Amino acid sequence: MILVSLFLFIIMTSLMLVNALRINIEYGISDEVINGVIFFIGTQSTSVLAYVPMQCILTYLVPENVEASTMALISGTFIWSYEVGAKMSASIYCLIFEVDDDHMDNYPKVLIAKLPALVVMMAISLIVPNN
């Protein structure tokens, strides 16, 4: 499920790149259609696909009598990574590639840089215990 979630993020990022480069117009796909698909795949429910199995796996690793605080730490880490961490990393990418309201032509470079980072995250997720 973690890999599925990350794979869906790769699809979403690729579709965003296609939209940013206006390739969708060349193939006759309207902005409304491609943005609808991007918004559907990029919702919070997609990220929850990774959260639920990880929560179940980590439940078995929690020492006795500290379940509540450990689960709060795990939940907080996931929320931080999807809400705060994602926005911070996007800001860093925008600083690196000098993307702002006046310089959106570098935005495709941000998306291209995001794709290898997602592949690295997929590789790192393979170290999570799965039994």
Side-chain angles (χ1 to χ4, degrees), residues 3-131:
L3 290 174
V4 169
S5 174
L6 290 170
F7 183 72
L8 288 173
F9 278 117
I10 287 176
I11 291 173
M12 179 191 65
T13 303
S14 300
L15 289 173
M16 290 170 66
L17 181 60
V18 165
N19 194 17
L21 295 174
R22 310 305 290 154
I23 296 171
N24 60 311
I25 301 299
E26 292 176 20
Y27 287 99
I29 301 171
S30 71
D31 287 338
E32 291 83 10
V33 170
I34 197 163
N35 286 328
V37 173
I38 290 168
F39 290 137
F40 179 74
I41 294 174
T43 60
Q44 194 66 18
S45 60
T46 302
S47 61
V48 171
L49 289 175
Y51 175 74
V52 173
M54 184 71 80
Q55 187 81 5
C56 293
I57 290 171
L58 292 176
T59 301
Y60 293 107
L61 301 175
V62 175
E64 193 171 332
N65 297 325
V66 291
E67 294 90 352
S69 56
T70 306
M71 287 298 135
L73 177 67
I74 293 167
S75 297
T77 303
F78 271 98
I79 290 168
W80 187 88
S81 69
Y82 281 109
E83 295 300 324
V84 179
K87 289 168 181 59
M88 287 176 61
S89 65
S91 296
I92 291 169
Y93 274 125
C94 287
L95 282 174
I96 292 170
F97 291 101
E98 299 174 356
V99 174
D100 57 22
D101 289 340
D102 298 326
H103 303 96
M104 289 301 290
D105 27 326
N106 289 337
Y107 180 65
K109 293 178 184 176
V110 172
L111 296 173
I112 291 169
K114 183 180 173 184
L115 288 170
L118 286 168
V119 172
V120 168
M121 291 308 300
M122 289 177 84
I124 290 174
S125 72
L126 295 175
I127 66 171
V128 174
N130 60 5
N131 55 5

